[in-house]
């Protein structure tokens, strides 16, 4: 294992508040020196970080790796490699695979494939119920022992309230965070976009905000009863955000994330039946987008995720009504985080916190920090370098992004996991 000395970069660690031009020393997979060089430390490799931002590796709470089951869209190897190139060092894949991630065998398959790539770390999320069918509880203790960091409905809400209550109670006994999707399926099925004047003008069935708030009200009632640590995935509306804020103020152990695209796009972007803007939950109106931005800035919403869903070209080849929902988001997660700073939505430290330490805290994992003794997971980027998102510049196998053609700022130069260089390639690393 190489000992690495990173010199002269602007180190920003949101968790500790560190923001200074300083050096980092890495040995035995961990940070061994921040600022001062330890006695006797001799580096095998020196990285000149002059002019670069040095931040914790990003943690993405919402991803679909498509394997097992949909390898025609993407594979674990393709997406963890894309993540490494994007500065992401931890991915939390959804249990909505085929077969569903509800057994230790599937968890071991995913983690083994990920290890074989020697790229970004994968922390699987297990299924809350067997087959995500909402009828029988999964073996949560076994899933946790196999490596799952949380359990989730995988975007398929449990409709039986008694089963959901038992699932929350069972998860609490194993100290597992439960991730729930606040979407009422009866109010969502058969619709393609936000219900509002844009959907009316287009003649497209819309999904009302009540689909989110009705589900949230049900979930919050059960959290109040059980006290289970619960995380709500992909909040999309101002009213949902208000319900979350009140629940947190009353002391409920709840948190939430928002997909990055909900902070930049609205239902207006769906005009023209754009299939690239077909997502679930749907893109809401401008007022909802503004409220979500305020909630992220204030910390009411703790995490921003990519909601990465790579698709094959056929899935987005038709119009909105013929397309599958989802955006390929891993390539743009960091650059759009920096765009939030550029747009003055929040300061740099807060923006980085939502994709590093705050995301780690949702799961209770010791990641997303630059602290002596902790795993040396890092991203080094040039914050001023512009680039354009094109199909050719995307590393993910899925090219389905509504941000294609956007000029972005912030290019990743290095990604390190446990002190090992993931990006650029090890061959280039050897010559550095």
């Amino acid at each position: 294992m190489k000992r690495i000395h990173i010199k002269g970069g602007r180190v920003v660690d949101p968790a500790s508040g560190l923001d200074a031009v300083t050096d980092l020393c890495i040995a035995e997979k961990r940070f061994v020196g921040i600022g001062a060089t330890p006695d006797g430390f001799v580096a095998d490799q020196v990285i000149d970080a002059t002019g670069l931002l040095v931040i914790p590796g990003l943690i993405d709470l919402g991803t679909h790796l498509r394997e097992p089951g949909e390898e025609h869209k993407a594979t674990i190897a393709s997406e963890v490699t894309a993540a490494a190139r994007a500065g992401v060092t931890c991915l939390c894949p959804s249990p909505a695979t085929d077969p569903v991630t509800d057994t230790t065998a599937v968890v071991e398959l995913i983690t083994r494939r990920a290890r074989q790539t020697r790229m970004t770390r994968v922390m699987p999320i297990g299924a809350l119920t067997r087959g995500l069918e909402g009828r029988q509880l999964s073996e949560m203790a076994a899933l946790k022992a196999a490596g799952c960091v949380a359990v989730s409905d995988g975007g398929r809400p449990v409709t039986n309230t008694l089963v959901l209550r038992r699932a929350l109670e069972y998860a609490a006994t194993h100290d597992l965070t439960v991730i729930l999707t606040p979407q009422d399926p009866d109010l969502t099925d058969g619709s393609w976009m936000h219900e509002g004047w844009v959907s009316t003008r287009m003649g497209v069935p819309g999904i009302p905000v009540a689909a989110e708030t009705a589900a949230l009200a049900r979930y919050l009632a059960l959290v109040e009863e059980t006290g289970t640590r619960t995380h709500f995935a992909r909040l999309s509306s101002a009213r949902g955000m208000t319900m979350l804020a009140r629940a947190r103020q009353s002391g409920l152990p709840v948190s939430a994330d928002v997909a990055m695209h909900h902070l930049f796009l609205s239902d207006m972007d769906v005009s023209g039946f754009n299939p690239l803007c077909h997502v679930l939950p749907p893109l809401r109106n401008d007022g909802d987008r503004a409220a979500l931005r305020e909630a992220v800035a204030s910390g009411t919403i703790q995490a921003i995720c990519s909601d990465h869903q790579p698709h094959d070209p056929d899935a987005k080849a038709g119009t909105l009504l013929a397309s599958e929902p989802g955006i390929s988001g891993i390539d743009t997660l960091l650059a759009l985080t920096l765009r939030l700073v550029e747009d003055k939505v929040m300061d740099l430290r807060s923006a980085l916190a939502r994709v590093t330490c705050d995301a780690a805290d949702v799961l209770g994992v010791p990641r997303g920090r630059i602290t002596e003794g902790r795993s040396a997971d890092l991203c080094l980027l040039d914050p001023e370098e512009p680039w354009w998102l094109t199909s050719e510049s995307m590393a993910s196998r899925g090219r389905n992004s509504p941000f294609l053609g956007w000029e972005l700022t912030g290019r990743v130069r290095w990604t390190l996991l446990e002190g090992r260089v993931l990006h650029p390639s090890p061959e280039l690393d050897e010559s550095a």
Side-chain angles (χ1 to χ4, degrees), residues 172-417:
T173 64
H174 297 292
D175 194 28
L176 278 166
T177 299
V178 175
I179 301 175
L180 298 177
T181 307
Q183 286 291 316
D184 183 305
D186 294 327
L187 293 173
T188 303
D189 291 347
S191 302
W192 282 266
M193 62 181 294
H194 169 66
E195 181 180 272
W197 69 268
V198 178
S199 66
T200 300
R201 187 186 65 185
M202 295 171 62
V204 174
I207 301 171
V209 169
E212 182 167 282
T213 55
L216 270 176
R218 175 170 166 260
Y219 293 161
L220 289 171
L222 292 175
V223 172
E224 188 174 12
E225 290 275 343
T226 62
T228 304
R229 189 171 65 249
T230 304
H231 180 77
F232 300 120
R234 319 302 110 80
L235 275 192
S236 68
S237 71
R239 276 188 273 169
M241 182 275 298
T242 300
M243 292 174 70
L244 172 73
R246 287 174 179 166
R248 288 172 57 83
Q249 287 170 1
S250 66
L252 292 186
V254 294
S255 57
D257 67 57
V258 61
M260 183 63 84
H261 46 260
H262 278 98
L263 299 175
F264 286 92
L265 307 174
S266 72
D267 59 345
M268 288 295 294
D269 292 289
V270 188
S271 298
F273 298 87
N274 183 358
L276 294 177
C277 290
H278 181 195
V279 293
L280 287 176
L283 300 172
R284 301 292 181 183
N285 62 34
D286 288 340
D288 291 306
R289 180 179 58 179
L292 291 173
R293 284 185 161 206
E294 290 177 6
V296 169
S298 68
T300 301
I301 292 178
Q302 291 73 34
I304 304 172
C305 70
S306 69
D307 195 19
H308 179 60
Q309 298 187 43
H311 279 297
D312 58 300
D314 288 347
K316 294 288 189 180
T319 63
L320 175 74
L321 305 188
S323 65
E324 296 181 39
I327 285 174
S328 181
I330 201 71
D331 286 273
T332 51
L333 180 61
L334 178 56
L336 291 176
T337 299
L338 298 177
R339 178 68 70 89
L340 291 172
V341 180
E342 184 181 337
D343 291 350
K344 302 187 186 308
V345 175
M346 62 180 83
D347 58 35
L348 178 64
R349 177 180 165 186
S350 298
L352 293 176
R354 304 297 180 266
V355 291
T356 57
C357 56
D358 289 352
D361 290 346
V362 167
L363 302 174
V365 297
R367 308 287 179 196
R369 289 165 167 79
I370 299 175
T371 305
E372 285 191 22
R374 292 213 178 194
S375 178
D377 302 348
L378 281 176
C379 169
L380 284 66
L381 69 142
D382 182 342
E384 304 296 334
E385 181 176 339
W387 58 285
W388 285 261
L389 185 73
T390 64
S391 294
E392 293 73 24
S393 69
M394 294 182 71
S396 169
R397 186 177 291 181
R399 304 293 197 265
N400 50 296
S401 172
F403 301 108
L404 287 170
W406 280 42
E407 181 181 358
L408 302 170
T409 304
R411 179 73 84 176
V412 174
R413 293 299 183 196
W414 301 80
T415 303
L416 282 72
L417 177 68

